[in-house]
Amino acid sequence: MQLLIQLRWIAVVGQVVTISLVHYGFQIALPLLPMALVLVALVTTNLAYIYWSQGLHRPVTSRSVFYALLADVLALTIQLYLSGGASNPFIYLYLLQGILSAVLLPAHYTWCVVAASFVGVMGLTLFHQPLHVQFVSQEGLPSLYVVGVLISFALTSILTIVFLTRIVENTRRRDKRISNMRQRASEEEHIVRLGLLATGAAHELGTPMATMSVILGDWQHMPALMQDEDLREDLQEMQRQLLRCKSIVSGVLLSAGETRAEGTESTTFASFVQGVVSHWQAHNSLQHFALHQQGVKDFAMLSDTALQQMICNLLDNALEASPDWVELTLSSDHDQIRIQVRDHGPGFDAAVLQQLGQCHVSTKQERPGRGLGLFLVTNVARALGGRVHAGNLPAQQGGGALVEVSLPQSALAI
């Protein structure tokens, strides 16, 4: 309907120009008042359709478009009746109504528009107000009639091309949106499968880890083993790593909603990020790590395990690429919270940047499960209404990669 309204405005302007040119330029007397009333009626109906679709937010149906095209056919018929009938070269504009109906409407409505146009043409051959003008050309054809036919042909062609071009562009945009929706549905289905596999693995790992915990506890109470200092340190390290595995498994089950949580914790953004960073640093060591906060106003939020995992994934990827240097920067711009992680590693390949966020797209070809980190980061950001941008830094800035996640503060704040 929006496109049809635009075409009707073009038609109104075209009729004003044509009537003025014929009446004042070619000195052909036309009934200006009736023709002007038809134009006023077209403008009024156009404004009514704008108010209907945009002001009242009513859905545009095939029937409403059908009525609009019938109104156009009626207006064209009246204008041609007032200006020579079927002998008027602009009678070919009926073809435009048929083309529009064929593109926009179902078949039965299209045939109704074509039938109305045919009735209008037949009626104009019998009933019309003749133009009392004599035209003479060397070829025996009315010269101004030929000019009118050419203008009518050009106008019909231009309007048809403009309309069909817009239709093709809308179709391409629709196809692109459908493709993106299918891609997103496929990614979400993949995430569901990963969640089911992770939950199943967490269930299966519960029993072996419980057994290992009992065995390690028994070993730590055996004097013969505890007398060996190296063996005692190894047992303590095994106990710490086992406790970490239990914590990870509990987190997986808690995220899946299969265990009873103590309650969602209320915190602040600064405290939340600081807690995530402290937890990550406790299990990773590197020469240089810095957390920068650039003008971020603290706000209340709920602790989110998905957001925590997203930040940890970014830091883990940076640590793998640059074992000695990682920086995390927090900044804000209006309602957007920006989380930037940079490293001094080799950076991203061009192919990875083009397919950023797709599953199993990674520079780590030798590792199983590659590409899941940024895939999960992208989907968590998308679920929160944000976006992810990645790029390589120039050598003047130390090189490496930069990953930026932008999230709306309204999606996090409470």
Side-chain angles (χ1 to χ4, degrees):
M1 177 59 75
Q2 194 70 24
L3 183 57
L4 183 60
I5 290 174
Q6 294 176 4
L7 288 177
R8 296 182 80 186
W9 287 125
I10 296 175
V12 169
V13 174
Q15 291 185 47
V16 171
V17 173
T18 304
I19 293 172
S20 301
L21 178 62
V22 171
H23 186 79
Y24 298 105
F26 295 151
Q27 300 299 319
I28 301 175
L30 294 175
L32 295 183
L33 181 59
M35 300 183 82
L37 291 177
V38 174
L39 292 177
V40 171
L42 278 176
V43 172
T44 303
T45 56
N46 228 20
L47 294 175
Y49 275 119
I50 293 176
Y51 178 72
W52 173 271
S53 59
Q54 299 181 8
L56 299 179
H57 301 287
R58 298 292 180 86
V60 178
T61 62
S62 297
R63 179 173 296 182
S64 60
V65 176
F66 170 66
Y67 290 150
L69 289 176
L70 283 184
D72 291 341
V73 171
L74 177 61
L76 179 60
T77 302
I78 296 175
Q79 295 287 48
L80 293 176
Y81 169 79
L82 296 172
S83 55
S87 62
N88 191 316
F90 288 94
I91 197 170
Y92 298 107
L93 289 176
Y94 278 115
L95 295 175
L96 182 60
Q97 311 301 327
I99 294 173
L100 294 179
S101 61
V103 174
L104 296 176
L105 299 176
H108 60 283
Y109 284 133
T110 301
W111 285 113
C112 290
V113 173
V114 172
S117 301
F118 182 75
V119 171
V121 172
M122 295 302 296
L124 289 172
T125 61
L126 301 174
F127 308 100
H128 60 272
Q129 293 184 7
L131 297 178
H132 302 286
V133 183
Q134 294 182 356
F135 302 99
V136 179
S137 66
Q138 296 178 354
E139 295 80 7
L141 292 175
S143 58
L144 288 183
Y145 181 82
V146 174
V147 173
V149 170
L150 294 177
I151 295 175
S152 176
F153 175 78
L155 184 60
T156 304
S157 301
I158 292 173
L159 291 177
T160 302
I161 291 173
V162 169
F163 177 76
L164 293 180
T165 301
R166 293 287 301 275
I167 288 294
V168 171
E169 290 178 356
N170 291 337
T171 302
R172 289 175 178 172
R173 286 197 293 266
R174 182 200 63 187
D175 292 342
K176 185 177 181 180
R177 287 197 299 268
I178 292 175
S179 177
N180 291 336
M181 291 175 62
R182 288 176 177 172
Q183 178 68 23
R184 182 174 299 184
S186 176
E187 292 175 353
E188 291 176 353
E189 181 182 357
H190 193 80
I191 291 176
V192 171
R193 291 200 301 266
L194 289 175
L196 292 175
L197 291 174
T199 305
H203 277 298
E204 296 295 331
L205 290 172
T207 301
M209 286 192 298
T211 303
M212 294 173 60
S213 179
V214 172
I215 294 175
L216 286 175
D218 292 341
W219 285 356
Q220 288 178 344
H221 291 86
M222 296 178 63
L225 297 178
M226 290 297 99
Q227 291 177 359
D228 189 330
E229 184 177 354
D230 293 336
L231 185 57
R232 184 173 64 253
E233 292 179 357
D234 291 341
L235 290 175
Q236 292 174 352
E237 179 63 24
M238 291 175 63
Q239 187 68 34
R240 284 194 296 269
Q241 295 301 324
L242 183 60
L243 291 175
R244 183 184 177 189
C245 290
K246 285 185 175 181
S247 175
I248 293 173
V249 169
S250 298
V252 171
L253 294 175
L254 181 62
S255 298
E258 298 194 12
T259 61
R260 229 184 131 176
E262 296 178 356
T264 305
E265 295 183 0
S266 179
T267 181
T268 63
F269 181 71
S271 301
F272 173 78
V273 174
Q274 189 61 53
V276 173
V277 170
S278 300
H279 174 78
W280 183 81
Q281 285 186 294
H283 300 95
N284 299 279
S285 60
L286 65 166
Q287 293 181 0
H288 174 80
F289 177 80
L291 171 61
H292 304 288
Q293 297 193 30
Q294 301 177 352
V296 179
K297 295 182 179 180
D298 205 8
F299 56 90
M301 62 171 291
L302 295 178
S303 180
D304 189 342
T305 56
L307 182 60
Q308 176 183 352
Q309 189 62 46
M310 183 191 75
I311 298 175
C312 289
N313 282 340
L314 291 174
L315 295 174
D316 288 340
N317 286 345
L319 181 63
E320 291 181 7
S322 174
D324 298 327
W325 197 96
V326 174
E327 284 191 353
L328 173 63
T329 302
L330 305 177
S331 60
S332 63
D333 182 13
H334 301 292
D335 187 46
Q336 294 291 318
I337 301 296
R338 289 188 171 89
I339 303 173
Q340 295 180 337
V341 176
R342 58 175 297 188
D343 59 64
H344 283 172
F348 292 103
D349 294 338
V352 174
L353 291 177
Q354 292 178 355
Q355 301 177 347
L356 181 69
Q358 296 186 15
C359 190
H360 301 307
V361 175
S362 173
T363 56
K364 303 185 285 289
Q365 301 292 334
E366 72 283 354
R367 287 191 51 186
R370 59 184 176 82
L372 290 178
L374 281 178
F375 172 72
L376 295 174
V377 167
T378 301
N379 281 274
V380 170
R382 182 186 298 164
L384 293 173
R387 58 183 179 84
V388 179
H389 173 75
N392 296 322
L393 296 173
Q396 295 82 354
Q397 299 182 16
L402 171 67
V403 179
E404 178 182 287
V405 179
S406 297
L407 300 173
Q409 181 175 329
S410 57
L412 304 176
I414 57 174

